């Protein structure tokens, strides 16, 4: 049986340069019953927290300085020492348009969520981000197998081999 | 009976490969959901209406302080506009930053019209070759409209909001038609 409130098992990192947004997100996550919430004022602080605590989900703004949300996600996904390259990332932004969406997708954002924030959409985004991260991990696993199709001993299966960097 | 073909390897990644009696291979990919939420968790998570109510109450608790903050921000936009018109070029950047904040938050706190006007101002400024090319009257009319929408306890009706936004959009369209790209195309 699943937990009555599975979110109470999650640790979540918020990165936003607006104090009001940080307070709002923290309040909503408290209402959701999130287990642990980390708060960062910008992308730089968020990366420090991510590498130290490896949260289960990242919720980030797009436009921040000195490191913006796109660079944050890119580092999380591609840094060789990233503790979880497949961590679900929700990008929350008032920006719109194809360029923003394309860049977010290119960097590996799991879910784009538009401001203004609506509680129901926020709740669903957390669920969808987890599902998206699962698909991402699975596709990467398959891609790695295609790139390196050497079979395991007695392996007659086309399934991808394990890569420890993807799972913990 | 299904049996695991590669227990040692796939156990590392939580992957299960089973062969059924008909020879079809059934693959259970590694589950992030199981890892993060525990066995039995499924996606999408059920939306509990009680949780949703708690979230709405959390927003209501912040609403009063946001109202004060919103009014302060709009007054600051008016002051920044005066400074900008008096020659302080960086003040237009402050106006954009405030408008960007308001478009992202006002709708959450029952100020959707203010948020939409703020979004219209941001879109106008984003369409310019740089912020220094902004037209003072266009910016002022947007900020005045935000002021009018936000200062009353209740925002204007949808009909008034639509008419206001349509008027601002016509003004922006005409202004952008006459806006020539600046020598430096970089956004401010």
């Amino acid at each position: 049986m699943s937990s009555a409130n599975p979110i109470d098992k999650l640790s979540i990192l918020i990165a936003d340069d607006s104090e009001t947004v940080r307070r709002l997100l923290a309040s909503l996550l408290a209402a959701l019953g999130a287990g642990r919430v980390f708060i960062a004022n910008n992308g730089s602080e968020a990366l420090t927290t991510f590498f130290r605590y490896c949260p289960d989900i990242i919720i980030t703004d797009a436009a921040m300085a000195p490191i913006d949300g796109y660079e944050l996600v890119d580092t999380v996904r591609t840094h060789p020492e990233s503790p979880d390259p497949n961590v679900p990332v929700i990008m929350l932004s008032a920006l719109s348009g194809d360029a923003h969406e394309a860049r977010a997708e290119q960097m590996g954002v799991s879910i784009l969520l538009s401001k203004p924030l609506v509680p129901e959409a926020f709740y669903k985004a957390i669920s969808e981000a987890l599902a998206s991260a699962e698909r991402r991990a699975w596709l990467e696993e398959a891609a790695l197998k295609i790139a390196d199709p050497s079979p395991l001993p007695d392996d007659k299966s086309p399934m991808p081999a394990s890569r420890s960097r993807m799972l913990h | 009976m299904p049996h695991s073909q590669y227990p040692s390897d796939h156990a590392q990644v939580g992957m299960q490969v089973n062969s059924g009696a008909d020879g079809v291979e059934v693959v259970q990919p590694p589950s992030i959901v199981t890892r993060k939420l525990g066995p039995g968790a499924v996606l999408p998570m059920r939306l509990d209406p009680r949780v949703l109510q708690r979230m709405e109450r959390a927003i209501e608790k912040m609403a009063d302080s946001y109202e004060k903050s919103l009014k302060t921000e709009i007054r600051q936009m008016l002051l920044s506009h005066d400074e900008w018109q008096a020659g302080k070029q960086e003040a237009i950047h402050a106006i954009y930053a405030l408008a960007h904040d308001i478009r992202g938050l006002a709708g959450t706190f029952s100020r959707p019209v203010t948020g939409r006007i703020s979004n219209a101002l941001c879109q106008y400024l984003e369409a310019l070759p740089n912020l220094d090319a902004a037209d003072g009257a266009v910016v002022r009319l947007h900020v005045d409209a935000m002021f009018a929408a936000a200062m009353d306890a209740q925002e204007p009706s949808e009909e008034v909001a639509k008419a206001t936004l349509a008027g601002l959009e016509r003004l922006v369209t005409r202004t952008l038609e006459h806006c020539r790209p600046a020598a430096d195309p970089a956004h401010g």
Side-chain angles (χ1 to χ4, degrees):
Chain A
M1 287 292 289
S2 60
S3 164
N5 179 20
I7 292 175
D8 65 6
K9 294 183 170 62
L10 297 177
S11 61
I12 299 176
L13 167 61
I14 295 168
D16 202 301
D17 58 359
S18 160
E19 187 191 348
T20 307
V21 173
R22 291 194 300 269
R23 279 178 49 219
L24 172 65
L25 291 174
S27 297
L28 292 177
L29 290 171
L32 274 168
R36 198 173 185 195
V37 177
F38 302 102
I39 295 178
N41 297 325
N42 53 52
S44 178
E45 287 185 16
L47 280 174
T48 302
T49 305
F50 172 71
F51 277 83
R52 183 172 296 169
Y53 297 105
C54 190
D56 295 313
I57 296 179
I58 297 174
I59 301 171
T60 181
D61 189 16
M64 297 180 289
I67 292 177
D68 66 20
Y70 308 105
E71 191 178 345
L72 164 64
V73 181
D74 188 43
T75 306
V76 163
R77 298 284 186 239
T78 62
H79 195 285
E81 292 174 19
S82 174
D84 185 0
N86 291 305
V87 63
V89 178
I90 298 169
M91 183 171 275
L92 184 62
S93 178
L95 296 173
S96 59
D98 292 344
H100 164 59
E101 289 176 16
R103 192 169 176 208
E105 186 179 353
Q106 184 187 3
M107 294 299 161
V109 169
S110 312
I111 298 289
L112 262 180
L113 192 57
S114 298
K115 291 177 183 172
L117 197 58
V118 177
E120 189 169 346
F122 183 61
Y123 196 170
K124 283 181 179 171
I126 290 175
S127 172
E128 287 169 11
L130 287 167
S132 168
E134 183 150 300
R135 286 194 298 274
R136 181 186 174 83
W138 176 236
L139 289 170
E140 277 199 16
E141 186 90 355
L144 286 170
K145 179 62 182 176
I146 291 165
D148 178 19
S150 53
L152 298 167
D154 302 324
D155 186 2
K156 293 172 186 162
S157 157
M159 295 314 303
S162 67
R163 293 292 186 276
S164 60
R165 75 176 183 84
M166 296 181 55
L167 297 153
H168 314 277
Chain B
M1 286 286 288
H3 62 280
S4 174
Q5 286 181 296
Y6 314 113
S8 60
D9 179 69
H10 292 107
Q12 289 177 27
V13 295
M15 184 187 296
Q16 296 173 1
V17 180
N18 300 320
S19 290
D22 56 1
V24 174
E25 204 167 49
V26 180
V27 177
Q28 181 66 50
S31 173
I32 286 176
V33 176
T34 300
R35 176 163 55 87
K36 291 190 183 297
L37 302 182
V42 292
L43 291 174
M45 289 181 287
R46 188 173 60 85
L47 190 62
D48 185 338
R50 291 167 302 181
V51 172
L52 203 56
Q53 280 177 357
R54 284 206 302 269
M55 294 169 82
E56 283 163 359
R57 278 201 297 271
I59 290 174
E60 283 167 13
K61 276 186 187 172
M62 288 183 67
D64 283 347
S65 75
Y66 182 72
E67 272 290 312
K68 287 177 192 160
S69 160
L70 175 65
K71 288 172 181 169
T72 301
E73 285 184 320
I74 294 174
R75 288 195 184 99
Q76 183 57 52
M77 289 173 85
L78 290 168
L79 288 172
S80 294
H81 185 272
D82 290 344
E83 290 172 351
W84 176 48
Q85 292 298 281
K88 189 178 173 186
Q89 287 301 307
E90 59 268 32
I92 186 63
H93 296 266
I95 291 173
Y96 176 77
L98 289 164
H100 181 69
D101 273 355
I102 293 170
R103 75 168 160 178
L105 278 165
T108 302
F109 292 102
S110 305
R111 289 287 180 186
V113 177
T114 309
R116 282 156 65 190
I117 298 168
S118 191
N119 186 46
L121 174 56
C122 287
Q123 288 183 339
Y124 163 61
L125 295 173
E126 288 161 1
L128 295 169
N130 60 56
L131 290 182
D132 295 337
D135 182 285
V138 173
V139 174
R140 181 67 189 220
L141 281 168
H142 280 83
V143 180
D144 284 346
M146 290 169 63
F147 185 89
M151 289 302 151
D152 286 341
Q154 198 163 10
E155 286 203 312
S157 67
E158 181 60 21
E159 191 181 3
V160 171
K162 276 185 178 171
T164 303
L165 285 161
L168 290 170
E169 190 179 344
R170 281 194 298 274
L171 179 66
V172 164
T173 303
R174 278 205 305 272
T175 308
L176 288 176
E177 280 170 2
H178 294 98
C179 176
R180 286 184 296 182
D184 177 7
H187 266 272

